[in-house]
Amino acid sequence: MQSKLTPLVTFTFLVTLCIPTMSYKVEPLPDSYAGLGEGPHWDVARQSLYYVDLEAGSLLRYDYKQNKTYRTQIEGETLAGFVLPVEGNAQEFAVGCGRRVVIVNWDGISPVAKVVRTLFEVQPDFEANRLNDAKTDPRGRLFAGTMRYIGDEFTHRHGELYRWEAGGNVTLVKSDVGISNGLAWDEKAKKFYYIDTTDYEVKSYDYNFDTGVASNPKVIYNLRKTSPKDHLLPDGMTIDTEGNIYVATFNGATIYKVNPSTGKVLLEINLPTKQITSVAFGGPNLDILYVTTAAKFDQPTPAGTTYKVTGLNAKGYPGVSLKI
Ligand SMILES: *[C@@H]1O[C@H](CO)[C@@H](O)[C@H](O)[C@H]1NC(C)=O
Ligand SMILES: *[C@@H]1O[C@H](CO)[C@@H](O)[C@H](O)[C@H]1NC(C)=O
């Protein structure tokens, strides 16, 4: 029995060894600094990565072909939680400014961009709240969540997650949220994945792509450590075409590639800075993982740099424009 089993065991061991030693490459994007980089979104039409500098009220665009980053300030705004291109209008973007989702007009080059109208507002009476991460589902519906931003979001769970779709009203998806963060969908598995950073975990929901309704939450990945001070803070998230999720950790200098069916970590992607805020696949072949970071609480250089990770041997989905 023992000798017959040996080859199999050896094979498994080799495979296990191969994965962590996989050679990926991490490189900075030029002029990509954001004090609080967030919300990376790959736009196929423009072959550009859009993201925000959240606490500066700024939008950024990394143009792949030009290898150049453009930055704009939204006139009169101090916060920009996310940036999502609007379908059918090359200069319009949905942006989370405070508790409002506004439409911003930007040509992708000018240093100043303007708000043209407000799409909707959430929690008007919660002045200590703001919109945080948001994404469109594969059908172009907007999912956006909130958090307190005066430093007590771990104890005051006043955040909520909303769904909005063209011609419809704002629907509450989830209340009792600390920091609404990473979002990802898998059409093949019929799943929606969601991160509330203050729960230190990733949840999966069954997702109805016809109605946009998420149900049956389950914890699929737990980032708690033995000692609470060591708990990892999951932030933004994306998914590859094989259904594996990529979880950025705000205090971990690491992106975890996880199989959501088993909760197993398949790969740890290490970055040269600590506060990893979010991830998105992009590039002409959708095989480059773009990574935003932050430089909060006096993090040293290169904190705040946006990176590309190549050589992952994985592909993702392009960002979906918002249908309005
Ligand atoms: C992009 O520009 C940076 C800074 O000039 C340079 O270091 C890098 O090699 C360029 N990348 C590509 C793909 O051209
Ligand atoms: C949307 O909100 C408006 C105004 O509050 C209300 O009149 C309408 O019935 C709502 N529609 C749906 C589908 O809930």
Side-chain angles (χ1 to χ4, degrees), residues 167-171:
N169 292 334
V170 184
T171 308

Side-chain angles (χ1 to χ4, degrees), residues 58-76:
S58 290
L59 311 181
L60 293 97
R61 179 177 75 90
Y62 170 71
D63 188 303
Y64 179 86
K65 287 191 194 109
Q66 296 177 10
N67 187 32
K68 185 173 171 179
T69 308
Y70 296 88
R71 184 185 174 105
T72 194
Q73 177 69 43
I74 307 172
E75 208 171 68

Side-chain angles (χ1 to χ4, degrees), residues 10 25 44 100 105 119 134 148 176 206 215 242 259 280 304 321:
T10 309
K25 196 170 164 189
V44 170
R100 290 167 299 133
N105 189 290
L119 213 51
R148 298 259 289 188
D176 185 32
D206 296 330
S215 58
E242 292 178 352
N259 177 338
S321 297

Side-chain angles (χ1 to χ4, degrees), residues 135-303:
K135 226 177 240 181
T136 40
D137 83 352
R139 305 290 166 87
R141 300 178 183 98
L142 176 65
F143 276 70
T146 57
M147 60 178 280
R148 298 259 289 188
Y149 74 112
I150 56 171
D152 57 359
E153 57 272 23
F154 279 81
T155 48
H156 290 69
R157 297 171 64 88
H158 291 171
E160 293 185 327
L161 175 66
Y162 309 95
R163 179 179 78 239
W164 180 89
E165 60 190 301
N169 292 334
V170 184
T171 308
L172 180 68
V173 176
K174 191 184 187 310
S175 57
D176 185 32
V177 170
I179 303 176
S180 190
N181 240 319
L183 307 148
W185 287 264
D186 186 340
E187 283 209 73
K188 284 182 235 164
K190 297 190 170 66
K191 295 287 183 195
F192 164 57
Y193 301 107
Y194 179 58
I195 290 170
D196 175 345
T197 301
T198 63
D199 286 340
Y200 312 104
E201 61 197 20
V202 183
K203 287 193 181 76
S204 80
Y205 290 74
D206 296 330
Y207 193 74
N208 185 325
F209 286 84
D210 296 326
T211 61
V213 173
S215 58
N216 194 21
K218 282 182 190 147
V219 176
I220 52 146
Y221 181 47
N222 187 344
L223 291 93
R224 285 183 194 82
K225 302 289 178 195
T226 318
S227 162
K229 71 171 175 38
D230 298 326
H231 289 351
L232 285 170
L233 298 169
D235 199 325
M237 165 172 59
T238 194
I239 187 163
D240 68 20
T241 54
E242 292 178 352
N244 298 308
I245 56 171
Y246 295 71
V247 180
T249 53
F250 186 77
N251 57 346
T254 305
I255 299 156
Y256 293 87
K257 175 181 177 179
V258 178
N259 177 338
S261 310
T262 60
K264 276 223 170 72
V265 174
L266 304 175
L267 178 68
E268 295 186 12
I269 305 165
N270 300 305
L271 280 293
T273 186
K274 192 174 163 192
Q275 298 170 346
I276 314 304
T277 55
S278 195
V279 281
F281 278 100
N285 303 313
L286 297 168
D287 59 355
I288 300 170
L289 189 69
Y290 290 105
V291 182
T292 53
T293 73
K296 298 258 296 174
F297 320 119
D298 299 323
Q299 285 294 306
T301 308

Side-chain angles (χ1 to χ4, degrees), residues 34 36-40 50-54 58-60 80-83 95 292:
L36 178 48
E38 264 288 1
Y50 288 89
Y51 60 103
V52 298
D53 188 349
L54 202 156
S58 290
L59 311 181
L60 293 97
F82 56 85
V83 54
V95 180
T292 53

